[in-house]
Amino acid sequence: MGWMYRISFYRRIQVALLLFLIIPLLIITGLSYVTNKQANEENVRTNMKGIIGILANDLSKTANDVIYTVNQYSASQANGLFLDLRSLSELNGFGNFEDYRVFTRLNETAALQVGKLSLVHVNAFYVNRANYPLIGSMNAVEIARLLADPRFKHLSEAEASTGLVRWFRAERESGYGDAFRASYYLFLKKTVYDPFHGEVLGTLFVGVPDSYFGGLFRNAGDGIFTLYETDGSLLAGMEGSPRTLSDGPRTGWMRETIAVPGTSWTLTYDLEASSATGDMAQRFWYTIMAVSIVLFVFLFMSGVIAQGLNRPIRKLMRVASQYGEGNSSIRYNAAGQDEISLLGASINRMLDNINALIRKVEAEQEEKRTIELYALYSQIQPHFLLNTLNSIKCNLAIEGDRANSETIDALMALLRAHLRVHEPLSLGDECKLLAQYVSIMRMRNRLDIDFEVLLPDRFRGIMVPRLLLQPLVENSIIHGFTRDSRAPRIRVEVAEAIGGIEIRIVDNGRGVTEEQTDQLQRTLMGETERTGERGIGLYNVLRRSKLAFGEQAALRIESGKQEGVVARLFIPIRDHDGEDAIDD
């Protein structure tokens, strides 16, 4: 290595660059390509597992919904529906009006049960023991055509008595003619059994159309999704789906398999391997070529410009050092068009951008109050929960359970308020929400709480942040009362104050000690979140009030004159008509 000391310093840098940078870089690039390819394939498989898992859950829910509907309709119980099925088990035509009346009632009941499914164009029909269609759009001729397939025949009495259900795929091209509108259906079959007479009454079929599976699979992403039965037979799929599970994926394809929860099905996801690696190999060679060209040019140009680098580099170092010491106006004098001058100009722009960012951060501190307000409102919008609660409320109202129906109605009102918590509302409506909240807490805590609102009409239109007072009432209930409390009472009073209004939440609960009152007040004065349910709720009330009405808004917690706690919330306003715009 003695020759290294006989060449120039810049040549030494070039040789060192070749030995310690270029060759290792090429090796690292090759290793990176292999590693990235493996990692990419692994990421694709992970994504495939996530997608197929979501689809499996959707299919499981659909299967459970269909099974639940069938079981509801074909439950072997001595009720009106069961007696109607028994009375028409041998019907093969209408001989009297009573049979037609029972027939109509069965179809109305079936329409209600099948209508609860979220699927579109479900093909549901019921045939009695005499193979006469009682429910659905099938006629006797189409039923006779279906019965040529043994799968559409009734289960035996031994099988039907166990409540057995079976899934099978029926394709229109298999000789069913116009009986099917879809290219295929995935049918659920259950035979209704009369345990009292020990005989079969009929069989109910619910068919899920191909459009459901096609839409579900297409929306899931690229690739081929296929659903198989336990024996490997095809239940549903896409164009290119293997007919049996044992066929396996095609050459050059990746496959992920999962069992659908709650069913005997297996779901597969086939994806072409080239879509995972793509043009990584081509990009790899392009990268090698680009790196080689850039490094060659660098080696050539480094010998030409190396001697001119030292002085401007030191200037750049001085600029960086002085800027770091606090001289924000220092800049590099970029007079030429060489690389160092361009670098100096870039550094100047970077320093300008840093100064601009500093000014932007300072300006954003002023906007933080609005951002922090919206951060308090972050939540998941429970539309599904609202729809479910509405269904429960309707069912309770139909069954005559008015008390629980009204409680659920109050809960839905609160949930809707949370969904629109960023929108202000009038003080009168806020008090109505408080009444609904107290109604729920009465039921939840089994407390006969006397809730009273004293709100003058001239203050009802004042706009306040939604659910502003709810934490104060919640504190009164949770921290003030127990199930042994006698005659619990909460009163909301709104009165005029100097420069605004004062809202008082008064209860007759256990109250608080002077030490606890001082601690809560220090928490509010410091405007810092504290642990503990009461501290967080009070802090949020005060913070939202100040963000909405300004720093003059105030909250104070006091002990009652004889018992309980009094929460006093001051809201500054210019008039009593609520005309001020309140940004929440």
Side-chain angles (χ1 to χ4, degrees), residues 398-463:
I398 292 173
E399 295 174 3
D401 191 348
R402 183 175 180 181
N404 286 327
S405 176
E406 291 177 352
T407 301
I408 292 179
D409 193 45
L411 177 58
M412 292 173 61
L414 286 177
L415 288 176
R416 291 190 181 97
H418 277 283
L419 286 176
R420 302 173 58 189
V421 72
H422 60 284
E423 300 177 7
L425 81 170
S426 66
L427 188 55
D429 291 338
E430 175 71 3
C431 291
K432 291 180 181 179
L433 285 178
L434 289 179
Q436 291 172 324
Y437 172 75
V438 172
S439 175
I440 295 173
M441 296 303 285
R442 286 194 189 103
M443 179 274 296
R444 175 182 171 186
N445 297 300
R446 299 180 182 178
L447 289 172
D448 187 15
I449 302 173
D450 179 19
F451 182 72
E452 181 182 10
V453 176
L454 301 179
L455 176 59
D457 290 339
R458 65 181 185 277
F459 297 145
R460 289 183 177 274
I462 294 177
M463 303 301 292

Side-chain angles (χ1 to χ4, degrees), residues 141-311:
V141 175
E142 293 172 334
I143 293 298
R145 188 177 299 162
L146 294 180
L147 290 175
D149 186 343
R151 297 178 299 177
F152 284 98
K153 293 184 177 181
H154 305 296
L155 296 177
S156 65
E157 292 180 355
E159 292 175 322
S161 63
T162 63
L164 178 68
V165 296
R166 287 183 177 172
W167 291 91
F168 62 92
R169 173 189 172 109
E171 300 180 358
R172 183 170 56 189
E173 297 178 353
S174 299
Y176 304 122
D178 297 332
F180 292 168
R181 291 189 298 271
S183 62
Y184 71 85
Y185 285 93
L186 181 58
F187 276 104
L188 174 66
K189 165 185 175 182
K190 180 167 184 178
T191 298
V192 181
Y193 178 72
D194 185 351
F196 304 102
H197 294 166
E199 59 185 6
V200 170
L201 299 183
T203 300
L204 178 64
F205 298 88
V206 177
V208 182
D210 61 337
S211 59
Y212 166 75
F213 296 103
L216 182 66
F217 293 157
R218 283 193 301 271
N219 293 334
D222 297 331
I224 299 176
F225 298 89
T226 313
L227 187 66
Y228 297 99
E229 187 52 277
T230 306
D231 58 1
S233 59
L234 177 66
L235 291 179
M238 307 172 66
E239 182 179 356
S241 292
R243 296 296 299 179
T244 62
L245 181 60
S246 59
D247 289 345
R250 288 178 285 182
T251 303
W253 289 63
M254 299 183 295
R255 167 171 288 188
E256 289 294 333
T257 303
I258 189 173
V260 179
T263 69
S264 59
W265 304 340
T266 299
L267 180 64
T268 64
Y269 180 15
D270 296 339
L271 184 65
E272 194 171 4
S274 61
S275 64
T277 57
D279 57 348
M280 285 188 62
Q282 185 178 14
R283 291 201 306 269
F284 168 73
W285 290 113
Y286 285 160
T287 301
I288 293 294
M289 293 174 60
V291 170
S292 300
I293 293 173
V294 170
L295 290 177
F296 174 80
V297 173
F298 175 78
L299 289 173
F300 174 78
M301 294 299 297
S302 63
V304 178
I305 64 175
Q307 294 184 4
L309 293 178
N310 189 48
R311 185 170 56 255

